[in-house]
Amino acid sequence: MKTVAIIAASGVGKRMKLDGGMSKQMIEIGGHTVIWHTMKAFQDAESVDAVYIATKSDSIEPFKQLARENGFTKIHSIIEGGKERQDSIRNCMDLIEEEIESSGVMPDAILVHDGARPFIQPEEIDEIARISAEHGACVPATKPKDTIKYIGRTPEVFGETLDRSRLLQVQTPQGFTPAKLIEAHRKAASDGVYATDDAALVERYFPEQEIHVYEMGYHNIKITTPEDVPVGEAILAGLKARKSEN
Amino acid sequence: MKTVAIIAASGVGKRMKLDGGMSKQMIEIGGHTVIWHTMKAFQDAESVDAVYIATKSDSIEPFKQLARENGFTKIHSIIEGGKERQDSIRNCMDLIEEEIESSGVMPDAILVHDGARPFIQPEEIDEIARISAEHGACVPATKPKDTIKYIGRTPEVFGETLDRSRLLQVQTPQGFTPAKLIEAHRKAASDGVYATDDAALVERYFPEQEIHVYEMGYHNIKITTPEDVPVGEAILAGLKARKSEN
């Protein structure tokens, strides 16, 4: 199967309180940077042929070097991201569209992943790619552990309680058949619409497209706050222990 | 300030895959059991006068011994929980009501906490108690890090995407002025109503009571799945490092 992947890796880690706008992708967990873990997972995923990464301009060279030194041969392009995450993904998609036109080969699926989710596993990527190609759209999710409520009439008070049994917390990589993802992003750009994730864009422009749930473990966290670093170390140790058991 | 606390600690750790229905409260994190951490936090909270714990019948003696051996003098009663979490809380509330009647002293607030949230800090308990007494109801919450969607027409597909900026993930301890919490539980018992948390019960029977948000850090997790144990170790190490800096 031919799948291409987009990795959004422009986050400057404001919530991480990093010095001088250091990329949160460069934080080390388990002896490797966040982006190393992410690149390696996509390198090792059998379904993936080519990976496009959007990042800050001054991360492009370090990322290229990292890919070269580690034999991450599937990293196809590392380009500058846009203002918002969605713009970065759009930049990668422009490249993918050119590639499709020049090669005449249409991928089975495009996956979009957050660079700051380094604990995704290659076999999970493969499964999401497979379901996306088969059903048109697939998004990983976990059941929320906590009760979820709306904010009320001011941010200091609560509103309505949601029915937790009907909720899912969604993650990435989110996979789609190329035509729909490309068209949804094109329309969003022309309408000036920004959505919370790619699934929300596809939902908006292709409401008839059902988005399939891939039930994910709790390891696929996003490295967002300083607390996440030791938590990430623990998750990584757990994943290694699980692998050595098998 | 006189605050009483209820700790629901009946969970048998089904999702933890523990042997022979071992209580998840007895899992060790950082060299102490989950329930030890929880008891200690309430012992050290200045606002708290008395703690009522509901647990499985065969945990009552071990918990009593733990409290005795560690000088947790505020642990007032350890009783058998009911069928559901809400029944366990109701059992504790019956005792508290008797105490109020016999002593003639009304607490300023009642806090209800999950025993499996061992990383709550004493000063957080105090602050939630204070806001509860002042405003009638206070619940700790964090902003969700992930996008939240509804489950669709079947559990395999997604429904609508929620506006994340309007959502909060709620935790415990949840605090209320005693009259409203007692009355809400009494009405729920007589109506046969079960709610996802105590705040939802108070919302139901006292819709005019605004529930105040206490913005909590991401450390106050519930120990629910095996992955949570190493994550808990990491959180604990982070909390210790933070304390030694101050």
Side-chain angles (χ1 to χ4, degrees):
Chain A
M1 198 168 91
K2 189 179 159 55
T3 296
V4 301
I6 295 171
I7 296 174
S10 301
V12 290
K14 265 177 288 180
R15 278 194 279 179
M16 292 295 298
K17 298 168 193 155
L18 297 177
D19 289 340
M22 172 184 161
S23 167
K24 62 184 171 185
Q25 313 291 334
M26 298 309 282
I27 294 164
E28 284 206 10
I29 299 181
H32 291 287
T33 56
V34 166
I35 192 68
W36 180 92
H37 289 288
T38 307
M39 284 186 190
K40 178 152 175 58
F42 280 85
Q43 176 70 28
D44 291 350
E46 283 177 26
S47 60
V48 174
D49 286 86
V51 179
Y52 296 73
I53 301 179
T55 189
K56 297 185 303 161
S57 59
D58 56 1
S59 291
I60 293 176
E61 271 316 309
F63 281 19
K64 282 187 175 169
Q65 196 183 337
L66 188 74
R68 216 165 34 232
E69 287 175 358
N70 290 278
F72 295 152
T73 52
K74 294 182 183 173
I75 308 298
H76 181 285
S77 302
I78 300 176
I79 62 166
E80 189 170 353
K83 191 160 179 290
E84 301 290 334
R85 178 182 185 280
Q86 189 173 314
D87 302 317
S88 299
I89 292 162
R90 177 75 213 139
N91 290 356
C92 289
M93 212 112 65
D94 286 341
L95 268 185
I96 294 170
E97 278 188 81
E98 283 172 28
E99 197 87 6
I100 292 171
E101 274 174 38
S102 67
S103 70
V105 179
M106 179 65 91
D108 294 323
I110 299 178
L111 302 181
V112 184
H113 188 61
D114 299 323
R117 292 190 192 269
F119 307 124
I120 185 73
Q121 299 297 297
E123 56 278 15
E124 293 165 346
I125 295 170
D126 290 337
E127 189 59 12
I128 292 166
R130 190 188 64 73
I131 301 171
S132 304
E134 189 178 330
H135 294 287
C138 177
V139 167
T142 57
K143 297 192 177 88
K145 290 183 176 183
D146 292 327
T147 298
I148 311 264
K149 294 183 197 279
Y150 274 117
I151 291 173
R153 53 168 189 83
T154 73
E156 288 76 41
V157 297
F158 287 99
E160 190 198 343
T161 302
L162 291 141
D163 176 2
R164 182 169 57 167
S165 68
R166 292 198 52 230
L167 301 177
L168 290 168
Q169 284 179 276
V170 316
Q171 308 173 345
T172 69
Q174 303 190 342
F176 308 90
T177 43
K180 281 183 181 156
L181 185 65
I182 290 169
E183 184 65 13
H185 269 273
R186 194 182 283 146
K187 284 185 169 161
S190 104
D191 295 351
V193 163
Y194 284 85
T196 174
D197 62 1
D198 297 277
L201 281 186
V202 170
E203 278 163 30
R204 182 185 181 106
Y205 292 108
F206 298 96
E208 77 293 353
Q209 170 64 57
E210 286 192 326
I211 296 180
H212 280 250
V213 176
Y214 174 81
E215 206 176 324
M216 180 65 84
Y218 289 97
H219 60 279
N220 188 29
I221 65 164
K222 192 169 178 178
I223 304 295
T224 312
T225 61
E227 290 98 326
D228 293 331
V229 176
V231 169
E233 299 276 0
I235 289 174
L236 203 58
L239 288 169
K240 274 184 188 158
R242 211 175 65 183
K243 274 183 191 163
S244 68
E245 276 169 24
N246 296 339
Chain B
M1 198 168 91
K2 188 177 160 56
T3 297
V4 301
I6 295 171
I7 296 175
S10 301
V12 290
K14 265 177 289 181
R15 278 194 279 179
M16 292 295 298
K17 297 168 193 155
L18 297 177
D19 289 340
M22 172 184 161
S23 166
K24 62 184 171 185
Q25 313 292 334
M26 299 308 283
I27 294 164
E28 284 205 9
I29 299 181
H32 290 287
T33 56
V34 166
I35 192 68
W36 180 92
H37 289 288
T38 307
M39 284 186 190
K40 178 153 175 57
F42 280 85
Q43 176 70 28
D44 291 350
E46 283 177 26
S47 60
V48 174
D49 285 86
V51 179
Y52 296 72
I53 301 178
T55 189
K56 296 185 303 161
S57 59
D58 56 0
S59 291
I60 294 176
E61 270 316 309
F63 281 20
K64 281 187 176 170
Q65 195 183 337
L66 189 75
R68 216 164 35 230
E69 287 175 358
N70 289 279
F72 295 153
T73 52
K74 293 182 184 173
I75 308 298
H76 181 285
S77 302
I78 300 177
I79 62 166
E80 189 170 353
K83 191 160 180 290
E84 301 290 334
R85 179 182 185 280
Q86 189 173 313
D87 302 318
S88 299
I89 292 162
R90 177 74 213 139
N91 290 356
C92 290
M93 212 112 64
D94 286 341
L95 268 186
I96 294 170
E97 278 188 80
E98 284 172 27
E99 197 86 6
I100 292 171
E101 274 173 38
S102 68
S103 71
V105 179
M106 179 64 91
D108 294 323
I110 300 178
L111 303 181
V112 184
H113 188 61
D114 299 323
R117 293 192 192 267
F119 307 124
I120 185 73
Q121 299 297 298
E123 56 278 14
E124 293 165 346
I125 296 170
D126 290 337
E127 189 60 11
I128 292 166
R130 189 189 64 73
I131 301 171
S132 304
E134 189 178 330
H135 294 288
C138 177
V139 167
T142 57
K143 297 192 178 86
K145 289 182 176 184
D146 292 327
T147 298
I148 311 265
K149 293 183 197 278
Y150 274 116
I151 290 173
R153 54 168 189 83
T154 73
E156 289 76 40
V157 297
F158 288 99
E160 190 198 343
T161 302
L162 291 141
D163 176 1
R164 182 170 58 167
S165 68
R166 292 198 51 230
L167 301 178
L168 291 168
Q169 284 178 276
V170 315
Q171 308 172 346
T172 68
Q174 303 190 343
F176 308 90
T177 43
K180 280 183 181 156
L181 185 65
I182 290 169
E183 184 65 12
H185 270 272
R186 195 181 283 146
K187 284 185 169 160
S190 104
D191 295 351
V193 163
Y194 284 85
T196 174
D197 62 0
D198 297 277
L201 281 187
V202 170
E203 278 163 29
R204 182 186 180 105
Y205 292 109
F206 298 96
E208 78 293 353
Q209 170 64 56
E210 286 192 326
I211 296 180
H212 279 249
V213 177
Y214 174 81
E215 206 177 324
M216 180 65 85
Y218 289 97
H219 60 280
N220 188 29
I221 65 164
K222 192 169 178 179
I223 304 296
T224 311
T225 61
E227 290 97 326
D228 293 331
V229 176
V231 169
E233 299 276 359
I235 289 174
L236 203 58
L239 288 170
K240 275 184 187 157
R242 211 175 65 183
K243 274 183 192 164
S244 68
E245 276 169 24
N246 296 340

